[in-house]
Amino acid sequence: MADALRDRILSGDLRPGAKLPTQHELAEEFDTNRTAVRQALDTLRREGLLTGTGRGAPPTVAERALSHDAPRKADIELADRLYEAFRAEHVTIDVFSLTTETLNTALAPSTIAISRGELSPRSIAVRVLLPSADARLALPRLVSDPEGRDPRPLERLHELMHTYVSALKGHLETLRMRDLVAEVAVEIRTVPLTPTHKVYLLNGTEALFGYYKVKPRTVRYKGEEMDIHDVVSISTPLFHHAQGPDLHGEHGTAFVAETRQWFDSLWSSIAQPLELG
């Protein structure tokens, strides 16, 4: 139902300010119950396509439904999109990033909802691409070491990477062990690349893209302070693209398809399994 109504809004059949049918009318049209209607309307409200989805008057199409809203911080945008992705029976998540810190944080609302019975996917499959431990990455590195000869910043990065990956795998495996999700698969591979951007592909139909910005900061490692050039992660904005018509025709569909092919090309060629110590 949400997909059908979204198509009507994005195609212009339902213009900004137009009122939707009542919940009773929608339940009859789609041959479903009021609970399913409310869930579909709430999905569209969270996407910014509807306003006034509470009790009373029928909701209306948001005035900015056909415009491109400003991208939001990675943890907020990803958390919202993951929650919607977890409504599917079979969930797939593909990630290219420096670590899985943002993913770990953004998954929390969805896994809590699964524990409460609000979401009930039958399977979750996660594929993650991270930078190789033996690659000479451009970042992070000491501010005073422009040639990157000091190994400590990269050693710190890979320790963080392993910590976040272990937490991610453990958290998702717990859902399977508690019989909340029947099938859970988490596979981590590495590539000899320095990520300058982060990508999240959700259920093969949505792509979230954000740039890493470089900034100097002070960190502690093994009891010492280091001034390093590092990247902004959780606070970086994510640009959302989805399959379906938009202001640029089929731009979203093309972007998602190309991003999926790009990810698969890395995954099936130079990517190597990450060994957790």
Side-chain angles (χ1 to χ4, degrees):
M1 186 192 309
D3 290 340
L5 293 175
R6 185 186 300 108
D7 287 345
R8 296 177 192 177
I9 293 171
L10 295 178
S11 67
D13 288 344
L14 288 170
R15 303 297 301 172
K19 289 187 179 299
L20 265 65
T22 65
Q23 292 187 13
H24 176 72
E25 291 170 333
L26 287 171
E28 287 192 342
E29 177 184 352
F30 290 94
D31 191 24
T32 188
N33 55 53
R34 296 281 288 275
T35 299
V37 172
R38 286 192 291 269
Q39 290 177 343
L41 295 178
D42 185 58
T43 295
L44 298 177
R45 177 194 60 78
R46 291 167 63 89
E47 294 177 7
L49 297 177
L50 294 180
T51 59
T53 56
R55 297 180 181 275
T60 59
V61 179
E63 291 296 331
R64 300 188 64 192
L66 293 178
S67 67
H68 291 288
D69 292 335
R72 296 184 295 169
K73 287 174 53 181
D75 54 339
I76 297 173
E77 178 71 8
L78 183 58
D80 280 356
R81 300 316 312 152
L82 281 169
Y83 192 95
E84 297 306 322
F86 271 79
R87 295 187 187 277
E89 184 177 8
H90 301 288
V91 179
T92 63
I93 304 170
D94 292 337
V95 180
F96 173 79
S97 61
L98 197 61
T99 72
T100 64
E101 179 184 11
T102 302
L103 178 62
N104 290 21
T105 301
L107 273 172
S110 296
T111 55
I112 291 173
I114 292 173
S115 298
R116 292 175 176 172
E118 299 168 4
L119 297 172
S120 54
R122 290 183 56 192
S123 69
I124 302 173
V126 180
R127 299 188 300 174
V128 181
L129 285 174
L130 300 172
S132 305
D134 57 353
R136 191 164 183 259
L137 304 181
L139 291 164
R141 65 177 53 190
L142 291 177
V143 173
S144 60
D145 180 25
E147 295 183 358
R149 294 177 177 174
D150 193 315
R152 291 178 299 163
L154 290 180
E155 290 173 356
R156 174 181 175 274
L157 168 67
H158 290 294
E159 287 182 14
L160 289 173
M161 180 195 305
H162 280 69
T163 297
Y164 289 128
V165 164
S166 297
L168 173 69
K169 298 185 73 169
H171 199 53
L172 291 175
E173 278 296 322
T174 297
L175 296 177
R176 183 186 59 79
M177 294 171 63
R178 294 175 59 194
D179 294 324
L180 295 170
V181 180
E183 299 177 27
V184 174
V186 182
E187 189 173 358
I188 316 293
R189 295 185 183 181
T190 63
V191 288
L193 302 172
T194 303
T196 57
H197 62 277
K198 60 200 319 181
V199 173
Y200 304 92
L201 283 163
L202 310 181
N203 293 342
T205 61
E206 294 183 78
L208 299 168
F209 180 99
Y211 292 103
Y212 283 119
K213 299 182 183 69
V214 182
K215 61 179 292 187
R217 70 189 187 105
T218 301
V219 299
R220 290 191 63 83
Y221 181 63
K222 294 185 176 179
E224 297 183 21
E225 288 192 344
M226 299 187 298
D227 292 324
I228 65 172
H229 285 303
D230 206 358
V231 296
V232 177
S233 178
I234 287 182
S235 63
T236 191
L238 288 180
F239 294 84
H240 176 240
H241 303 269
Q243 288 185 347
D246 54 27
L247 286 179
H248 303 288
E250 296 296 326
H251 175 85
T253 298
F255 187 91
V256 172
E258 285 296 316
T259 303
R260 188 169 60 243
Q261 292 176 26
W262 165 81
F263 185 94
D264 287 341
S265 70
L266 286 177
W267 186 266
S268 61
S269 59
I270 62 173
Q272 298 294 319
L274 173 66
E275 299 294 335
L276 293 176

